Amino acid sequence: MQHGKSCFFVGIGGSGMMPLAMILAGQGAKVAGSDRSLDSGRLPAKFDALRALGIDLFPQDGSGIVSPDQTVIASAAVEDNVPDMVRAAELGCPRMTRAELNAALFNAAGTSIGVAGTSGKSTVTGMIAWILHSLGGDPTVMNGAVMKNFVRPDAPFASALVGSDDFYVSEVDESDGSIALYSPHVAVLNNVSLDHKSLEELRTLFGDFAAKAQTTVVNVGDAESAALAMALDRSRTTTFAVESDADLSARNLALEAFAVRFDLVTRDAALPVRLAVPGRHNVANALAAIGASVAAGIALPDAVRAIEGFTGLRRRFELVGEANGVAVIDDFGHNPDKIAATLDTLHAFPGRVLALFQPHGYGPLKVMRRELVEMFVNKLAPGDRLVLPDPVYQGGTVSREVTSADIVADIAASGRDARHIPDRAAAAAHLVAEARPGDRIVIMGARDDTLSLVAREMLAHLES
C-alpha cells in the first residue's frame, strides 16, 4: 500500500498514467498531476473524474511540484524541458517512469499476471479482470483502456481496479522496451508482429519476458509466438489457438455482428462459449484470458462461465450508434494486425466500410509503411473507402520522413480507394457526406482520446 506517499504525475491524463494515478490514490497515496490536455481544455470529463477521486490537478507550469518529498512520475512522451520536469530537477525530486512504477507494483504482488503481445493486450487484461472479479476475487488491475464492465456513475473512466495485493493484472508494454522490467508469475504472449520495434527486437523482448514466468500462456496459432514457445519449458506452458491443435483450442466459430460463439476444446472437455464481443481475434483473446485465469487457480468451467459476461472495452470495436442506416464504430486499430482484424470483422457481414484511420505518429508510419500498405491493399474490399488525416502530433521533435500522404499514394497505386485529407475534421466530414444506408463508418487510431469525440460528432451529423 502507498499510504502517505506523495506522487505527482506529469501527463496524468494519458491512457497508461491515469489508471496508475487511480491505483495509488485508492491505496492511500497523496496524488496530484498535470496534463497539457487539461491546460488546453480538452476532455474535461476525464479530469473531473480524477478530481472526484481527491486528486489535485495543476497547470503544467511547475506550480504543482513544491517539495523534494514528491515522487515525480512521467510518461515517455514528456520531455525534460517541460516546466514540471525542470522544477522537479531543481528540487531534486525522485523520478520514476510510468513503467517503473507499474513494474514495482506488479512485481510486489502475491500473484502477478502480465499480458504481452503486439495486439489484444488491453482486451485480454479486461477479460482476466472480469473473470477474477465476477468469481469473487479482488484483483488490482492496470489497463490502458476503459473496461465497460466496471463503469459506474462514480467510475466513468474505469481503466483501473483497486483491489488487494493478492492479484495484480496488467498489460505490459513492448513499445519502449519496458516489458523487461516485469517478472510475472503468469505471462500471456498473445501475438508478435511489427509495430514500434523491429521483429528481431520484439522476439528478444517477448522471449525474455515469457521465460521468466512460472506459467506462460502462448498463442501457438501465431507463427512468431509459436516459435518463441519452442524455447520454453513445456511443463510450464499452456498453449492456445483458434481452429488449430493446442491445450486450449477454439473450434466451430459462429460469427455474429457484435458477438461470436465457439466450442472450447481441451484434452478432457468441449465447452460451448458465447462472447459478447465480436470477431475471430476476440476468440483468441478469450482463450488467452481463460488460460491465464486457470493458471492463476480458477477452474476452467468457472472461467468459461464468467467470460461470457465480459462486455468489452471502450474504443475496441465499440458501436457508437446508428443513424439513417449507417453504423458508426470507434476502434483502437493502429497497426496492421489490429486494423486487419477490425476490417475482417466488418467484412464478415454485408455493407461498405468507410474508414478513417489517424496514424498514431510519424515514427510508426516509417516502421510499418510496407506492412500497413500491404494490409490495406489486401483487406479493403471493392467499394470501401479509406481516408487518412495527418498523424496525431502531441508536441516535441519528430522526423516526418513518411507521412499519411505517402501511405495513401502507395495504397491508391494498387487500385484501392484511399485519400489523404490532412485536416481530421474535413476527413470526417467527407466520410459523413459519402455515407449511405447499409454503410459502416469506422474511426481508427491510438494515442488520441479525442477520436471518440470525432466518432460521436460524425454520428450527430448523420442524425441531423
Side-chain angles (χ1 to χ4, degrees):
M1 290 296 182
Q2 309 296 318
H3 294 293
K5 292 185 179 179
S6 181
C7 299
F8 191 96
F9 286 77
V10 183
I12 196 169
S15 61
M17 295 281 275
M18 185 172 179
L20 284 173
M22 292 191 289
I23 289 171
L24 289 192
Q27 292 183 344
K30 179 176 173 55
V31 178
S34 66
D35 198 282
R36 53 189 161 204
S37 290
L38 174 68
D39 293 350
S40 63
R42 294 193 303 163
L43 306 168
K46 174 184 286 190
F47 298 108
D48 288 344
L50 288 170
R51 291 188 184 97
L53 295 174
I55 295 172
D56 294 327
L57 299 178
F58 294 86
Q60 205 167 78
D61 59 5
S63 60
I65 299 176
V66 296
S67 167
D69 295 329
Q70 289 173 290
T71 298
V72 174
I73 299 105
S75 69
V78 176
E79 298 179 326
D80 287 341
N81 61 358
V82 170
D84 284 343
M85 303 307 291
V86 173
R87 182 59 177 157
E90 290 172 349
L91 291 177
C93 297
R95 290 171 53 176
M96 298 182 79
T97 65
R98 173 195 59 79
E100 287 169 344
L101 172 59
N102 191 42
L105 297 170
F106 180 94
N107 293 336
T111 298
S112 55
I113 304 175
V115 182
T118 312
S119 302
K121 293 187 289 292
S122 297
T123 298
V124 175
T125 300
M127 287 176 167
I128 297 169
W130 178 246
I131 291 170
L132 296 177
H133 173 84
S134 66
L135 294 174
D138 187 27
T140 295
V141 181
M142 204 301 294
N143 203 333
V146 174
M147 300 173 283
K148 293 198 281 188
N149 285 94
F150 301 104
V151 171
R152 306 184 309 270
D154 62 339
F157 295 90
S159 56
L161 291 182
V162 183
S164 71
D165 293 333
D166 294 338
F167 282 102
Y168 195 99
V169 185
S170 179
E171 58 177 290
V172 296
D173 189 9
E174 79 286 349
S175 66
D176 58 359
S178 62
I179 188 174
L181 300 172
Y182 297 85
S183 298
H185 294 97
V186 178
V188 174
L189 182 53
N190 213 24
N191 43 60
V192 182
S193 63
L194 198 65
D195 193 341
H196 301 273
K197 293 183 176 293
S198 69
L199 278 175
E200 290 74 16
E201 291 176 287
L202 292 173
R203 288 171 187 141
T204 299
L205 288 169
F206 286 131
D208 290 348
F209 172 75
K212 288 189 285 187
Q214 294 176 12
T215 302
T216 305
V217 183
V218 186
N219 181 6
V220 293
D222 172 72
E224 287 286 345
S225 300
L228 292 175
M230 296 293 290
L232 300 174
D233 182 343
R234 187 66 181 91
S235 67
R236 296 192 292 116
T237 304
T238 298
T239 61
F240 68 92
V242 178
E243 295 181 327
S244 295
D245 291 339
D247 297 329
L248 301 172
S249 177
R251 303 282 183 172
N252 306 319
L253 274 63
L255 301 177
E256 302 175 26
F258 289 93
V260 61
R261 297 177 184 272
F262 65 95
D263 291 331
L264 173 56
V265 178
T266 71
R267 184 174 59 183
D268 303 315
L271 302 171
V273 184
R274 184 182 186 273
L275 300 178
V277 288
R280 180 187 176 98
H281 61 294
N282 274 321
V283 175
N285 290 337
L287 295 177
I290 291 168
S293 299
V294 171
I298 303 298
L300 178 63
D302 292 339
V304 168
R305 186 179 70 254
I307 204 168
E308 292 189 337
F310 175 71
T311 56
L313 307 179
R314 287 194 186 148
R315 298 216 65 236
R316 271 46 172 198
F317 207 87
E318 182 179 16
L319 178 64
V320 180
E322 298 184 50
N324 295 315
V326 179
V328 177
I329 295 163
D330 187 18
D331 190 70
F332 191 67
H334 62 278
N335 65 37
D337 281 0
K338 288 177 177 168
I339 297 170
T342 296
L343 294 177
D344 284 345
T345 301
L346 289 165
H347 286 139
F349 298 90
R352 283 196 311 168
V353 173
L354 307 182
L356 187 155
F357 168 52
Q358 177 181 274
H360 58 294
Y362 289 93
L365 276 189
K366 180 180 178 182
V367 171
M368 298 187 294
R369 178 176 184 168
R370 181 174 62 83
E371 290 79 7
L372 200 57
V373 170
E374 288 180 357
M375 180 276 301
F376 276 123
V377 170
N378 291 329
K379 296 296 183 179
L380 289 172
D384 289 349
R385 179 160 296 177
L386 172 67
V387 174
L388 269 72
D390 286 340
V392 63
Y393 174 64
Q394 305 285 14
T397 303
V398 296
S399 171
R400 306 189 183 205
E401 295 177 47
V402 178
T403 68
S404 293
D406 296 321
I407 303 298
V408 164
D410 291 350
I411 296 168
S414 296
R416 296 300 188 215
D417 189 344
R419 304 183 185 194
H420 172 226
I421 301 178
D423 179 72
R424 188 177 70 181
H430 172 76
L431 290 185
V432 168
E434 292 291 322
R436 57 177 185 251
D439 289 346
R440 285 79 52 79
I441 293 176
V442 59
I443 297 91
M444 295 182 288
R447 294 184 179 174
D448 186 353
D449 290 343
T450 64
L451 285 169
S452 294
L453 303 179
V454 173
R456 292 198 289 272
E457 289 167 359
M458 293 175 80
L459 179 65
H461 286 306
L462 288 166
E463 291 171 338
S464 63

